[in-house]
Amino acid sequence: MKTTKKVLLLITLISLCACKKDSKGEKNNYTNIKISAAPSECLAPANWFTIVNNTRQTPAPNEGPTSVFANNKTVTNCDFHQWSWQKFLWLTNEVNGVPFFITNLIQVNSAGQRLNPGSGIVLTDIAQASSPSDILKTPNYPSGVPKSTTVYYSIFMDRLMYTTMLKYGPIAKNDPTSLKDITFPVGSLELKTSWIDASVLKDPSSYFITDGLINGVKTKVALLGMHVVGVVENHPEFVWATFEHENLAPAYDWSKATPTTDAPVTSTVDYPFFNKSSTATVTNITSGNGIYTDVFSVYKYGVPVEKAMKGSHNVQLFMKTSQNGSQNLNNIRTINQSVKSQLKGIWNNYFYNGSIWINTAGYKTTQQQAALLDSLSGTLSESTPGKLTRGSVAAYNITMETYVQVGFGPKSIHQVTVDSLVNCFSCHNASHRSKLSPLYISHVFNGYVGSLKGLTRKQIKQESVKEIMDDYNLRQKLR
């Protein structure tokens, strides 16, 4: 009987071991989870990597009525991860060294106003979505790179989403009740990208670098991360996928945590956002604390785990959520490995850190799905067992959601519960000041409507953050 219990325990548990390497060859402490009886692998098809005239030409993913998403009862977890990677690869197809997303998408600011990136990507925004005071900077290293600098953000839309925003924005300003159940059409695409002055990187050779205008000054900028946010058939809530450079910051070492105490984070090498002479705690990744560097990531691929088990600090359990954490992590891990083995060039230095979406099975029409999103409103992000969130229910990008990885407000990592998890839907939902429409899931749409009302970008940002916190605090009170 004891032997049987031990076997069952081993099947359930996750063992931690080192995974990816940093640029100096030292393995960091990201968890590489070994899963017993793992499902079939989620792989990247070879045709994604077709080379024509020395250029990769990844085809655009099928996301409409003939795609795998057309049957929301049979679509699989892997299908969403495959869409995410294929969309990223399609967006980074290059012509003369310039990727598709720069040449073919429309750059806008947070108020939905079109920008002109003709001389370089326009970069002025530095605040993260969680708070105007949440800013990410590089450390002041004792030697080497002489200065600290700030991460900047840019937003791109495809023409379909942009024209839809222009169409419904004036209606939202004058009669928002008429937008109930209206969604962005299938194919709508929005990107958020993070950049840094390339000169501050000790080794910029592994980053995609292009021209940027930082506050009007022409500068070579390096891409750090990208949110790929797109509407596929049966999913008007968008699929929220995130990618980042593979060597930006260390990971939280769960093997050093106890059941009641967080482990301090250290590193034997410098990262772009962590000084090896520093020691970091949860304070470094908590919103509103004003600590802008020496940050670290908590959950691999946005898959939450429980605190270390008593007497077994190197053993973890998946947190019980609305999503099968074991299956989700395994699929992300295997598709990342599959892409890594086939992808050539600079984009091979970026990895997929997960995505999130809503289970819409049983909601057959766009109108029914929109009504679902409206009804869920500010509770869209809830990830307790039985809820509808799927994928990486603690999804984040280390350069964009740096300070909400363990929720809003100061707390210990080991005290995070499924009720306090934060993901994309914590900030992006169909509710806006008691008005309901899936269009409001896009902050850019909200910003555009605000600009039509005469609000400044600062006022739009303040309104957005206040609404996020009001929704979050209300959810906590209702629990």
Side-chain angles (χ1 to χ4, degrees):
M1 188 62 148
K2 290 183 179 179
T3 303
T4 302
K5 287 183 177 179
K6 288 181 179 179
V7 172
L8 290 174
L9 182 62
L10 287 173
I11 293 175
T12 306
L13 297 180
I14 307 164
S15 53
L16 301 177
C17 65
C19 179
K20 66 183 186 181
K21 296 182 179 181
D22 59 49
S23 59
K24 295 190 177 181
E26 178 183 292
K27 291 183 178 180
N28 72 23
N29 53 17
Y30 271 112
T31 58
N32 184 5
I33 298 178
K34 296 180 179 178
I35 302 168
S36 299
S40 59
E41 293 184 328
C42 186
L43 303 176
N47 73 315
W48 290 3
F49 309 96
T50 301
I51 303 297
V52 178
N53 296 327
N54 297 317
T55 304
R56 173 172 53 82
Q57 294 191 3
T58 305
N62 184 358
E63 49 203 22
T66 61
S67 71
V68 294
F69 304 106
N71 188 333
N72 59 9
K73 290 185 178 180
T74 60
V75 64
T76 69
N77 177 274
C78 178
D79 291 329
F80 289 91
H81 299 313
Q82 288 179 323
W83 175 87
S84 299
W85 251 122
Q86 187 177 2
K87 197 75 168 182
F88 176 84
L89 293 171
W90 174 69
L91 287 164
T92 56
N93 283 334
E94 294 183 7
V95 177
N96 297 323
V98 183
F100 179 88
F101 77 89
I102 292 179
T103 58
N104 288 271
L105 299 188
I106 298 168
Q107 188 183 358
V108 298
N109 62 23
S110 56
Q113 297 159 335
R114 189 167 185 166
L115 303 175
N116 180 13
S119 299
I121 295 170
V122 180
L123 298 171
T124 59
D125 292 336
I126 59 173
Q128 296 193 6
S130 52
S131 169
S133 64
D134 286 345
I135 297 168
L136 180 60
K137 295 182 178 180
T138 58
N140 283 307
Y141 299 105
S143 59
V145 178
K147 61 180 179 180
S148 173
T149 194
T150 304
V151 174
Y152 287 82
Y153 304 101
S154 63
I155 302 170
F156 295 87
M157 284 181 166
D158 74 339
R159 189 166 298 278
L160 178 61
M161 185 169 181
Y162 181 72
T163 55
T164 304
M165 178 182 71
L166 296 186
K167 175 181 178 180
Y168 290 112
I171 299 174
K173 174 191 172 186
N174 297 318
D175 183 18
T177 59
S178 65
L179 295 181
K180 189 175 175 61
D181 296 346
I182 291 179
T183 69
F184 284 103
V186 170
S188 296
L189 175 68
E190 182 179 332
L191 305 183
K192 185 173 183 180
T193 48
S194 55
W195 305 84
I196 200 168
D197 181 342
S199 68
V200 306
L201 295 169
K202 290 187 175 181
D203 181 11
S205 64
S206 64
Y207 294 79
F208 170 73
I209 294 175
T210 190
D211 290 329
L213 292 173
I214 296 181
N215 295 320
V217 179
K218 193 166 185 177
T219 311
K220 290 293 184 182
V221 293
L223 180 68
L224 302 175
M226 179 187 295
H227 284 326
V228 178
V229 185
V231 178
V232 302
E233 194 78 17
N234 288 317
H235 290 276
E237 79 280 8
F238 294 85
V239 179
W240 298 74
T242 188
F243 296 80
E244 61 189 66
H245 193 275
E246 62 185 0
N247 190 41
L248 297 177
Y252 184 70
D253 189 349
W254 287 90
S255 69
K256 294 180 179 178
T258 75
T260 58
T261 308
D262 290 350
V265 178
T266 60
S267 175
T268 59
V269 297
D270 286 329
Y271 288 88
F273 296 103
F274 200 98
N275 186 338
K276 67 181 179 182
S277 63
S278 299
T279 298
T281 67
V282 68
T283 304
N284 293 64
I285 57 167
T286 301
S287 179
N289 277 336
I291 296 177
Y292 302 138
T293 190
D294 296 320
V295 300
F296 55 93
S297 61
V298 178
Y299 299 123
K300 185 177 180 67
Y301 303 147
V303 180
V305 295
E306 296 283 6
K307 54 184 177 289
M309 294 183 63
K310 185 176 181 180
S312 303
H313 300 164
N314 63 335
V315 178
Q316 299 295 311
L317 287 170
F318 286 110
M319 190 179 290
K320 292 181 180 179
T321 70
S322 57
Q323 169 69 56
N324 183 328
S326 173
Q327 177 198 51
N328 189 64
L329 187 138
N330 184 72
N331 282 342
I332 297 172
R333 176 177 59 83
T334 56
I335 195 170
N336 278 352
Q337 291 173 345
S338 181
V339 170
K340 188 81 172 174
S341 68
Q342 300 177 78
L343 183 60
K344 308 299 181 184
I346 202 72
W347 299 106
N348 201 22
N349 298 303
Y350 295 82
F351 76 99
Y352 171 50
N353 203 28
S355 59
I356 188 168
W357 60 93
I358 296 296
N359 177 14
T360 60
Y363 298 87
K364 297 180 180 179
T365 67
T366 300
Q367 186 176 13
Q368 290 175 342
Q369 294 152 10
L372 170 66
L373 299 177
D374 288 346
S375 67
L376 292 172
S377 185
T379 67
L380 189 64
S381 67
E382 291 186 354
S383 302
T384 51
K387 297 296 183 179
L388 297 178
T389 51
R390 294 294 184 269
S392 301
V393 296
Y396 69 94
N397 185 293
I398 192 61
T399 66
M400 301 188 212
E401 290 81 32
T402 316
Y403 305 104
V404 292
Q405 295 180 70
V406 294
F408 290 99
K411 59 183 68 179
S412 296
I413 294 172
H414 73 274
Q415 292 178 337
V416 177
T417 66
V418 66
D419 289 326
S420 60
L421 289 177
V422 166
N423 56 51
C424 307
F425 295 130
S426 301
C427 300
H428 296 269
N429 54 64
S431 174
H432 180 66
R433 297 296 183 216
S434 301
K435 305 176 186 70
L436 293 177
S437 171
L439 295 173
Y440 290 121
I441 290 176
S442 168
H443 283 182
V444 181
F445 180 80
N446 293 347
Y448 178 62
V449 175
S451 70
L452 294 177
K453 294 178 179 178
L455 299 180
T456 65
R457 290 176 63 195
K458 182 177 180 181
Q459 290 171 324
I460 291 169
K461 178 71 174 180
Q462 290 171 336
E463 183 181 78
S464 175
V465 171
K466 186 177 187 305
E467 187 170 12
I468 290 167
M469 293 309 301
D470 287 347
D471 282 349
Y472 180 81
N473 291 332
L474 178 61
R475 291 197 301 272
Q476 298 307 306
K477 287 179 182 179
L478 293 175
R479 290 191 171 111

